[in-house]
Amino acid sequence: MITALLVGVSLRADEASTPKLDYSITSNFEFTSEYVFRGLKVTDQAFQPSLEVDSNNFDLGLWTSQPLLHSQQNEVDLYGGYKYAVNKDLSVQAVATYYMYPEFNRTSKTNIDGARNSFEPGIGLTYTVAGFSPSAFYYYDTVLKQHTGLGSLGYALPLAKLGTELDLTGYYGIVGGRDVTPSLRKNVHQSYKYCGADVSLPYKLAANTTLTLAAHYANNFHTPVGTKKDRVWWSAGVAMGF
């Protein structure tokens, strides 16, 4: 009897000393009227499902864009990151994305990067205060030799009567590298700037299911003649958490 009690105490002590692994899984099914990346249009309307696992400040995910027009190429991204909280308001985040284009075609006018696959790590800071969340990130694509600096400012406007909030985001970015726009030329070094704004309205359908409707605007500067500057599009998605 005493031996059994001692074994029980030992097991409870081992369980208490073992850190609990907290994690969550989120799947998102989104439709977008245009796929725009860093101020440049990639494809027309597309279905963009994703799956993400978050655990102890780490995240790992799979995101894909599947155009509804068969003449436009698809994209599959693997991404991950780690967020470190300096204090309750300031956090540092290290991220990395591996871009894959299964239907890559060098003659495709929808290809904006000039490579079948590429890898882009990045690092940034985010500060949150009174509903505002300014952030600054730097990315470097090791395949395209492309630098990107991105600054953004987000604000969550509470909508108490609806039980939700209106998420507002404005951003400004600078891209420098080669083959950053559709072109058949190789080793073309070019820089451009872009800016934009997003407005999204999430609405909880159930405890673990959220519908999000969003409107988007983007503009680009110093891109080749013929590149459309102003772009306006919309998206709708359903996210489910587990």
Side-chain angles (χ1 to χ4, degrees):
M1 182 67 163
I2 295 176
T3 302
L5 288 173
L6 290 175
V7 170
V9 171
S10 176
L11 288 174
R12 286 194 294 273
D14 289 341
E15 291 173 357
S17 63
T18 303
K20 184 180 180 181
L21 180 63
D22 294 323
Y23 71 93
S24 62
I25 301 175
T26 304
S27 59
N28 189 35
F29 303 90
E30 181 175 279
F31 171 82
T32 182
S33 62
E34 279 190 1
Y35 172 24
V36 178
F37 182 67
R38 292 177 180 167
L40 300 177
K41 178 182 175 179
V42 183
T43 70
D44 291 309
Q45 61 268 25
F47 179 53
Q48 298 180 330
S50 65
L51 182 68
E52 180 175 301
V53 179
D54 295 272
S55 176
N56 299 332
N57 296 324
F58 285 94
D59 66 82
L60 181 66
L62 173 68
W63 178 91
T64 177
S65 181
Q66 303 296 326
L68 299 188
L69 298 179
H70 295 294
S71 60
Q72 298 180 323
Q73 71 175 10
N74 59 6
E75 178 181 339
V76 179
D77 298 345
L78 289 172
Y79 65 90
Y82 174 75
K83 180 182 291 186
Y84 173 75
V86 178
N87 54 46
K88 66 182 183 67
D89 299 319
L90 178 65
S91 63
V92 180
Q93 189 173 5
V95 297
T97 303
Y98 186 67
Y99 301 93
M100 296 175 287
Y101 304 94
E103 299 174 350
F104 172 82
N105 182 350
R106 287 191 179 277
T107 63
S108 172
K109 293 183 179 181
T110 64
N111 175 44
I112 69 167
D113 58 19
R116 179 182 294 276
N117 302 321
S118 67
F119 176 69
E120 184 183 67
I123 190 167
L125 298 170
T126 300
Y127 186 77
T128 303
V129 57
F132 289 92
S133 54
S135 68
F137 274 80
Y138 169 77
Y139 305 91
Y140 178 69
D141 193 305
T142 61
V143 176
L144 302 176
K145 311 302 180 186
Q146 180 174 300
H147 305 264
T148 300
L150 176 63
S152 66
L153 177 63
Y155 179 70
L157 178 65
L159 300 176
K161 291 185 178 180
L162 297 178
T164 184
E165 64 185 29
L166 190 65
D167 296 322
L168 310 172
T169 304
Y171 56 87
Y172 181 86
I174 301 175
V175 178
R178 65 178 179 85
D179 294 329
V180 295
T181 56
S183 174
L184 300 183
R185 298 172 295 172
K186 298 180 180 180
N187 298 318
V188 177
H189 291 266
Q190 183 180 8
S191 297
Y192 75 98
K193 301 177 179 65
Y194 66 98
C195 65
D198 302 313
V199 179
S200 61
L201 179 66
Y203 184 77
K204 186 162 290 190
L205 300 176
N208 64 341
T209 305
T210 301
L211 169 67
T212 300
L213 303 176
H216 314 272
Y217 167 79
N219 199 347
N220 56 73
F221 315 91
H222 309 302
T223 49
V225 176
T227 302
K228 186 175 179 179
K229 304 298 181 182
D230 295 291
R231 311 214 69 92
V232 177
W233 71 102
W234 63 272
S235 63
V238 175
M240 293 181 289
F242 306 93

